[in-house]
Amino acid sequence: MHEKLIAYINQHTSSPLSKEEEDLVIATFQPKKLRKKQYFLQEGDVCKFAGFIVKGAMRQYSVDDKGAEHIVHLYIENYWANDRESSTMLTPSKYNIDAWEDTDLLIITRAEMLDLMEKIPALVQMIRSMDERNAIANQRRLNATLSTTAEKRYDEFAKNHPQFIQRFPQHLIASFLGITKETLSRIRKQSLK
């Protein structure tokens, strides 16, 4: 199970982990299984763990006063699931994170990750790379939400994340894109013509 995580770390660093560093990673990251619809984090709880997804799919969402879900993130293999604000600030989360499919994770606490980062420089490099890519993705998503059509947002999403289209139902993708499922259905029908 840890092989995928070690490969991920090595992919995002300039020098591969040593055997000793790999052993530290294996000893620190703990396996966790979630059944479909089982919570990893519930709104109001402090996020205690970050999870690296080895197998499965998850979603992060908020629920508004009318009971509507708003998808913030969709996760599949080789993605990290957590609420960074809650885990960093030790504040109650505004989000739920649950398994959309049966999911295998490797989990770590913030304190454990900070400790590992002091011992393994490659993790600092990996986190920096993840932060940069995440900031770019969030900036693009915000700009697209503010300034592009629903059709263009869907086309970009389908082009950049075809695996998500196959793994998540239309209503979750529509919510992630900030459009209604009816609009997404219309867009998909038009693209098939």
Side-chain angles (χ1 to χ4, degrees):
M1 199 168 171
H2 288 82
E3 307 81 38
K4 285 191 175 187
L5 174 59
I6 289 167
Y8 181 91
I9 295 167
N10 287 334
Q11 178 185 349
H12 292 92
T13 59
S14 56
S15 59
L17 297 176
S18 68
K19 175 70 172 105
E20 294 78 24
E21 290 171 334
E22 284 184 13
D23 291 344
L24 263 175
V25 167
I26 291 167
T28 308
F29 280 84
Q30 300 303 309
K32 181 169 184 67
K33 289 184 178 290
L34 296 175
R35 294 178 316 281
K36 182 176 180 172
K37 298 190 178 184
Q38 185 177 354
Y39 285 104
F40 179 69
L41 173 67
Q42 283 189 273
E43 178 183 357
D45 292 343
V46 173
C47 185
K48 295 183 177 114
F49 299 97
F52 177 79
I53 301 174
V54 175
K55 178 177 147 297
M58 300 173 73
R59 63 187 179 142
Q60 180 178 355
Y61 60 98
S62 63
V63 180
D64 67 22
D65 294 340
K66 296 177 184 171
E69 293 179 359
H70 302 278
I71 304 295
V72 178
H73 290 290
L74 297 171
Y75 307 112
I76 58 171
E77 291 84 5
N78 292 326
Y79 276 67
W80 293 83
N82 85 327
D83 177 355
R84 194 112 177 243
E85 178 183 357
S86 174
S87 67
T88 302
M89 307 299 288
L90 299 175
T91 55
S93 181
K94 299 174 182 101
Y95 305 105
N96 296 292
I97 301 176
D98 65 15
W100 188 253
E101 302 170 353
D102 289 345
T103 301
D104 294 336
L105 300 151
L106 291 168
I107 62 171
I108 187 167
T109 66
R110 178 172 169 74
E112 289 168 333
M113 180 62 99
L114 292 172
D115 184 54
L116 268 189
M117 288 168 67
E118 286 187 20
K119 297 173 183 171
I120 305 174
L123 285 180
V124 175
Q125 199 174 7
M126 178 197 77
I127 297 287
R128 186 178 307 121
S129 171
M130 287 171 42
D131 284 348
E132 288 170 352
R133 289 177 312 151
N134 190 42
I136 291 166
N138 285 336
Q139 186 173 322
R140 285 180 178 169
R141 184 173 173 202
L142 178 61
N143 184 59
T145 300
L146 296 173
S147 64
T148 63
T149 64
E151 290 83 2
K152 184 161 173 76
R153 273 184 273 162
Y154 176 75
D155 289 344
E156 284 294 312
F157 182 78
K159 182 177 86 175
N160 293 323
H161 303 288
Q163 67 280 31
F164 284 69
I165 303 289
Q166 297 161 357
R167 302 279 290 274
F168 294 99
Q170 283 190 46
H171 72 279
L172 294 185
I173 292 169
S175 175
F176 179 78
L177 294 173
I179 60 179
T180 65
K181 60 185 176 187
E182 293 79 16
T183 299
L184 180 56
S185 182
R186 178 181 49 76
I187 291 168
R188 290 180 61 148
K189 282 180 189 165
Q190 287 174 349
S191 69
L192 293 175
K193 290 180 184 179

